[in-house]
Amino acid sequence: AEKIGFRPDDGWSYPAGTVFIKHFALPVDGNDPTVLRRLETRFIIVPESGEPYGVSYKWREDGSDADLLAAGLDEEIPVVEAGGGSHTATWSYPGPSDCRLCHNGNAGHVLGVKTWQLNGDLTYGRTGRRANQLETLAALGWFDANYRPEHREWFLQAKNIGDSSASLEERVRSYLDSNCAQCHRP
């Protein structure tokens, strides 16, 4: 019975108990880009009361498990370059207080899950089906009555910076929205 509070032109609201999960892995072999090192899994949790908060888990080098981080840290990771040689990449893991720098009330706590960023087609790997992400979420019954499918054609749609079929203005505005707007808000 719990639904996402849909808003076509603003951040959505989420029921208590909602958890967002994001995994990070780094390609560590330039000769084989499929070789990834799992680094981190981040969570944003919407609690019963209070503001949403974030936590981060650092994966052990052998990939067997991940450990909750009490504070941020930087890790040097060796990377093999294509054709020989190597370099070190620095991965910065945020601590719980670091998460709030971006995931704060002014930014709506949840970043990237917005109407215009999901108003596009996605090929679902498990089924091979290609469909609009908003339509898929609506068909699954995730949205409240504020989602009106007949209005979808008027919803904003973010554009990839490399999509030359979109205008330069659309691409730049989408880039700024995805990478800058969560901090640069009134």
Side-chain angles (χ1 to χ4, degrees):
E2 296 176 321
K3 305 283 184 185
I4 293 171
F6 181 84
R7 291 188 209 106
D9 55 1
D10 200 1
W12 301 344
S13 61
Y14 304 95
T18 300
V19 178
F20 293 88
I21 303 169
K22 187 172 184 180
H23 300 286
F24 295 87
L26 181 70
V28 292
D29 187 342
N31 298 306
D32 183 356
T34 64
V35 177
L36 302 174
R37 173 152 167 222
R38 182 180 285 178
L39 298 172
E40 175 184 6
T41 300
R42 296 179 188 172
F43 295 79
I44 296 291
I45 296 114
V46 179
E48 190 71 38
S49 63
E51 293 187 340
Y53 62 93
V55 295
S56 187
Y57 286 81
K58 179 185 179 296
W59 283 91
R60 296 176 186 161
E61 194 167 343
D62 66 4
S64 64
D65 203 355
D67 300 303
L68 177 64
L69 294 176
L73 67 95
D74 291 338
E75 180 181 18
E76 302 296 320
I77 300 164
V79 177
V80 175
E81 295 174 358
S86 65
H87 70 275
T88 301
T90 302
W91 187 264
S92 294
Y93 299 86
S97 62
D98 299 322
C99 296
R100 289 207 184 270
L101 293 174
C102 296
H103 296 274
N104 58 55
N106 194 37
H109 300 287
V110 177
L111 310 176
V113 184
K114 300 191 176 6
T115 300
W116 50 93
Q117 292 174 335
L118 296 178
N119 187 19
D121 288 350
L122 176 74
T123 300
Y124 293 88
R126 192 173 276 180
T127 63
R129 179 177 179 261
R130 185 163 181 82
N132 179 281
Q133 295 175 89
L134 295 177
E135 289 178 2
T136 300
L137 293 173
L140 292 170
W142 285 22
F143 293 136
D144 65 9
N146 290 325
Y147 179 76
R148 306 277 304 275
E150 65 273 18
H151 295 162
R152 192 179 61 77
E153 67 181 281
W154 293 292
F155 296 161
L156 290 174
Q157 185 178 36
K159 303 295 182 181
N160 185 301
I161 195 74
D163 179 2
S164 60
S165 69
S167 74
L168 180 59
E169 180 181 352
E170 289 176 304
R171 291 181 283 157
V172 169
R173 289 175 67 90
S174 296
Y175 178 88
L176 293 172
D177 178 69
S178 294
N179 295 286
C180 308
Q182 63 267 18
C183 292
H184 298 277
R185 296 176 60 118

